[in-house]
PDB file of all heavy atoms in Angstrom:
ATOM      1  N   LEU V 154      -6.677  29.794  33.592  1.00 81.00           N
ATOM      2  CA  LEU V 154      -6.958  29.454  32.171  1.00 81.00           C
ATOM      3  C   LEU V 154      -6.870  27.952  31.954  1.00 81.00           C
ATOM      4  O   LEU V 154      -5.857  27.374  32.333  1.00 81.00           O
ATOM      5  CB  LEU V 154      -5.914  30.132  31.266  1.00 81.00           C
ATOM      6  CG  LEU V 154      -6.096  29.975  29.759  1.00 81.00           C
ATOM      7  CD1 LEU V 154      -7.364  30.586  29.338  1.00 81.00           C
ATOM      8  CD2 LEU V 154      -4.908  30.507  28.997  1.00 81.00           C
ATOM      9  N   GLU V 155      -7.933  27.386  31.430  1.00 85.00           N
ATOM     10  CA  GLU V 155      -7.923  25.905  31.201  1.00 85.00           C
ATOM     11  C   GLU V 155      -7.835  25.581  29.761  1.00 85.00           C
ATOM     12  O   GLU V 155      -7.251  24.473  29.467  1.00 85.00           O
ATOM     13  CB  GLU V 155      -9.246  25.335  31.755  1.00 85.00           C
ATOM     14  CG  GLU V 155      -9.343  25.430  33.240  1.00 85.00           C
ATOM     15  CD  GLU V 155     -10.632  24.782  33.776  1.00 85.00           C
ATOM     16  OE1 GLU V 155     -11.412  24.263  32.951  1.00 85.00           O
ATOM     17  OE2 GLU V 155     -10.853  24.712  35.047  1.00 85.00           O
ATOM     18  N   PHE V 156      -8.318  26.358  28.879  1.00 86.00           N
ATOM     19  CA  PHE V 156      -8.253  26.122  27.391  1.00 86.00           C
ATOM     20  C   PHE V 156      -7.663  27.246  26.665  1.00 86.00           C
ATOM     21  O   PHE V 156      -8.106  28.413  26.747  1.00 86.00           O
ATOM     22  CB  PHE V 156      -9.695  25.844  26.870  1.00 86.00           C
ATOM     23  CG  PHE V 156     -10.400  24.710  27.580  1.00 86.00           C
ATOM     24  CD1 PHE V 156     -11.226  24.989  28.681  1.00 86.00           C
ATOM     25  CD2 PHE V 156     -10.296  23.379  27.179  1.00 86.00           C
ATOM     26  CE1 PHE V 156     -11.851  23.981  29.300  1.00 86.00           C
ATOM     27  CE2 PHE V 156     -10.919  22.430  27.850  1.00 86.00           C
ATOM     28  CZ  PHE V 156     -11.704  22.690  28.918  1.00 86.00           C
ATOM     29  N   LEU V 157      -6.567  26.961  25.928  1.00 87.00           N
ATOM     30  CA  LEU V 157      -5.900  27.984  25.196  1.00 87.00           C
ATOM     31  C   LEU V 157      -5.921  27.471  23.680  1.00 87.00           C
ATOM     32  O   LEU V 157      -5.160  26.626  23.312  1.00 87.00           O
ATOM     33  CB  LEU V 157      -4.523  28.250  25.631  1.00 87.00           C
ATOM     34  CG  LEU V 157      -3.763  29.313  24.796  1.00 87.00           C
ATOM     35  CD1 LEU V 157      -4.451  30.663  24.875  1.00 87.00           C
ATOM     36  CD2 LEU V 157      -2.297  29.457  25.443  1.00 87.00           C
ATOM     37  N   ASP V 158      -6.772  28.085  22.856  1.00 87.00           N
ATOM     38  CA  ASP V 158      -6.929  27.712  21.447  1.00 87.00           C
ATOM     39  C   ASP V 158      -6.484  28.921  20.624  1.00 87.00           C
ATOM     40  O   ASP V 158      -7.214  29.863  20.461  1.00 87.00           O
ATOM     41  CB  ASP V 158      -8.272  27.291  21.110  1.00 87.00           C
ATOM     42  CG  ASP V 158      -8.479  26.700  19.714  1.00 87.00           C
ATOM     43  OD1 ASP V 158      -7.521  26.852  18.957  1.00 87.00           O
ATOM     44  OD2 ASP V 158      -9.551  26.157  19.429  1.00 87.00           O
ATOM     45  N   LEU V 159      -5.260  28.877  20.067  1.00 85.00           N
ATOM     46  CA  LEU V 159      -4.797  29.943  19.185  1.00 85.00           C
ATOM     47  C   LEU V 159      -4.543  29.397  17.795  1.00 85.00           C
ATOM     48  O   LEU V 159      -3.668  29.919  17.027  1.00 85.00           O
ATOM     49  CB  LEU V 159      -3.470  30.522  19.691  1.00 85.00           C
ATOM     50  CG  LEU V 159      -3.544  31.188  21.147  1.00 85.00           C
ATOM     51  CD1 LEU V 159      -2.195  31.569  21.548  1.00 85.00           C
ATOM     52  CD2 LEU V 159      -4.505  32.315  21.163  1.00 85.00           C
ATOM     53  N   SER V 160      -5.291  28.354  17.376  1.00 87.00           N
ATOM     54  CA  SER V 160      -5.128  27.747  16.098  1.00 87.00           C
ATOM     55  C   SER V 160      -5.533  28.640  14.958  1.00 87.00           C
ATOM     56  O   SER V 160      -6.276  29.593  15.123  1.00 87.00           O
ATOM     57  CB  SER V 160      -5.989  26.408  16.080  1.00 87.00           C
ATOM     58  OG  SER V 160      -7.308  26.716  16.163  1.00 87.00           O
ATOM     59  N   ARG V 161      -4.897  28.307  13.779  1.00 84.00           N
ATOM     60  CA  ARG V 161      -5.240  29.005  12.485  1.00 84.00           C
ATOM     61  C   ARG V 161      -4.930  30.500  12.594  1.00 84.00           C
ATOM     62  O   ARG V 161      -5.820  31.300  12.323  1.00 84.00           O
ATOM     63  CB  ARG V 161      -6.652  28.713  12.126  1.00 84.00           C
ATOM     64  CG  ARG V 161      -6.869  27.181  11.841  1.00 84.00           C
ATOM     65  CD  ARG V 161      -8.368  26.913  11.681  1.00 84.00           C
ATOM     66  NE  ARG V 161      -8.551  25.410  11.417  1.00 84.00           N
ATOM     67  CZ  ARG V 161      -8.656  24.501  12.321  1.00 84.00           C
ATOM     68  NH1 ARG V 161      -8.547  24.889  13.606  1.00 84.00           N
ATOM     69  NH2 ARG V 161      -8.799  23.252  12.046  1.00 84.00           N
ATOM     70  N   ASN V 162      -3.735  30.840  12.994  1.00 79.00           N
ATOM     71  CA  ASN V 162      -3.282  32.217  12.993  1.00 79.00           C
ATOM     72  C   ASN V 162      -1.977  32.410  12.205  1.00 79.00           C
ATOM     73  O   ASN V 162      -1.575  31.442  11.527  1.00 79.00           O
ATOM     74  CB  ASN V 162      -3.144  32.714  14.431  1.00 79.00           C
ATOM     75  CG  ASN V 162      -4.448  33.138  15.158  1.00 79.00           C
ATOM     76  OD1 ASN V 162      -4.971  34.113  14.788  1.00 79.00           O
ATOM     77  ND2 ASN V 162      -4.863  32.241  16.018  1.00 79.00           N
ATOM     78  N   ASN V 163      -1.375  33.578  12.326  1.00 75.00           N
ATOM     79  CA  ASN V 163      -0.141  33.763  11.596  1.00 75.00           C
ATOM     80  C   ASN V 163       0.845  34.499  12.473  1.00 75.00           C
ATOM     81  O   ASN V 163       1.174  35.691  12.288  1.00 75.00           O
ATOM     82  CB  ASN V 163      -0.406  34.530  10.336  1.00 75.00           C
ATOM     83  CG  ASN V 163       0.769  34.681   9.369  1.00 75.00           C
ATOM     84  OD1 ASN V 163       1.762  33.849   9.478  1.00 75.00           O
ATOM     85  ND2 ASN V 163       0.885  35.785   8.662  1.00 75.00           N
ATOM     86  N   PHE V 164       1.351  33.805  13.495  1.00 74.00           N
ATOM     87  CA  PHE V 164       2.171  34.495  14.509  1.00 74.00           C
ATOM     88  C   PHE V 164       3.651  34.680  14.038  1.00 74.00           C
ATOM     89  O   PHE V 164       4.291  35.701  14.287  1.00 74.00           O
ATOM     90  CB  PHE V 164       2.200  33.714  15.809  1.00 74.00           C
ATOM     91  CG  PHE V 164       0.954  33.773  16.611  1.00 74.00           C
ATOM     92  CD1 PHE V 164      -0.038  32.798  16.540  1.00 74.00           C
ATOM     93  CD2 PHE V 164       0.623  34.953  17.427  1.00 74.00           C
ATOM     94  CE1 PHE V 164      -1.257  32.887  17.224  1.00 74.00           C
ATOM     95  CE2 PHE V 164      -0.556  35.022  18.019  1.00 74.00           C
ATOM     96  CZ  PHE V 164      -1.494  34.030  17.987  1.00 74.00           C
ATOM     97  N   SER V 165       4.192  33.651  13.360  1.00 71.00           N
ATOM     98  CA  SER V 165       5.574  33.730  12.874  1.00 71.00           C
ATOM     99  C   SER V 165       6.616  33.912  13.968  1.00 71.00           C
ATOM    100  O   SER V 165       7.572  34.623  13.790  1.00 71.00           O
ATOM    101  CB  SER V 165       5.708  34.774  11.824  1.00 71.00           C
ATOM    102  OG  SER V 165       4.836  34.538  10.717  1.00 71.00           O
ATOM    103  N   ILE V 166       6.321  33.414  15.189  1.00 75.00           N
ATOM    104  CA  ILE V 166       7.205  33.544  16.321  1.00 75.00           C
ATOM    105  C   ILE V 166       7.288  32.218  17.066  1.00 75.00           C
ATOM    106  O   ILE V 166       6.606  31.278  16.720  1.00 75.00           O
ATOM    107  CB  ILE V 166       6.668  34.640  17.303  1.00 75.00           C
ATOM    108  CG1 ILE V 166       5.248  34.256  17.752  1.00 75.00           C
ATOM    109  CG2 ILE V 166       6.734  36.045  16.700  1.00 75.00           C
ATOM    110  CD1 ILE V 166       4.693  35.087  18.831  1.00 75.00           C
ATOM    111  N   SER V 167       8.116  32.234  18.081  1.00 79.00           N
ATOM    112  CA  SER V 167       8.222  31.055  18.924  1.00 79.00           C
ATOM    113  C   SER V 167       7.179  31.235  20.091  1.00 79.00           C
ATOM    114  O   SER V 167       6.796  32.321  20.397  1.00 79.00           O
ATOM    115  CB  SER V 167       9.588  30.862  19.485  1.00 79.00           C
ATOM    116  OG  SER V 167       9.984  32.075  20.287  1.00 79.00           O
ATOM    117  N   ILE V 168       6.799  30.126  20.704  1.00 83.00           N
ATOM    118  CA  ILE V 168       5.807  30.260  21.732  1.00 83.00           C
ATOM    119  C   ILE V 168       6.451  30.608  23.082  1.00 83.00           C
ATOM    120  O   ILE V 168       7.636  30.271  23.318  1.00 83.00           O
ATOM    121  CB  ILE V 168       5.023  28.889  21.922  1.00 83.00           C
ATOM    122  CG1 ILE V 168       5.973  27.796  22.248  1.00 83.00           C
ATOM    123  CG2 ILE V 168       4.225  28.566  20.651  1.00 83.00           C
ATOM    124  CD1 ILE V 168       5.290  26.415  22.512  1.00 83.00           C
ATOM    125  N   PRO V 169       5.787  31.397  23.891  1.00 82.00           N
ATOM    126  CA  PRO V 169       6.418  31.799  25.183  1.00 82.00           C
ATOM    127  C   PRO V 169       6.691  30.566  26.046  1.00 82.00           C
ATOM    128  O   PRO V 169       6.009  29.592  26.092  1.00 82.00           O
ATOM    129  CB  PRO V 169       5.227  32.639  25.886  1.00 82.00           C
ATOM    130  CG  PRO V 169       4.407  33.056  24.725  1.00 82.00           C
ATOM    131  CD  PRO V 169       4.511  31.999  23.720  1.00 82.00           C
ATOM    132  N   SER V 170       7.880  30.570  26.629  1.00 79.00           N
ATOM    133  CA  SER V 170       8.380  29.427  27.479  1.00 79.00           C
ATOM    134  C   SER V 170       7.562  29.299  28.671  1.00 79.00           C
ATOM    135  O   SER V 170       7.519  28.138  29.267  1.00 79.00           O
ATOM    136  CB  SER V 170       9.870  29.610  27.784  1.00 79.00           C
ATOM    137  OG  SER V 170      10.012  30.903  28.516  1.00 79.00           O
ATOM    138  N   CYS V 171       6.838  30.310  29.097  1.00 80.00           N
ATOM    139  CA  CYS V 171       6.073  30.197  30.378  1.00 80.00           C
ATOM    140  C   CYS V 171       4.830  29.391  30.163  1.00 80.00           C
ATOM    141  O   CYS V 171       4.195  29.054  31.191  1.00 80.00           O
ATOM    142  CB  CYS V 171       5.700  31.635  30.840  1.00 80.00           C
ATOM    143  SG  CYS V 171       4.725  32.548  29.607  1.00 80.00           S
TER     144      CYS V 171
END
Side-chain angles (χ1 to χ4, degrees):
L154 183 65
E155 294 185 357
F156 302 92
L157 180 58
D158 187 351
L159 300 176
S160 60
R161 298 170 178 85
N162 280 287
N163 186 27
F164 288 101
S165 300
I166 56 169
S167 59
I168 60 176
S170 58
C171 60

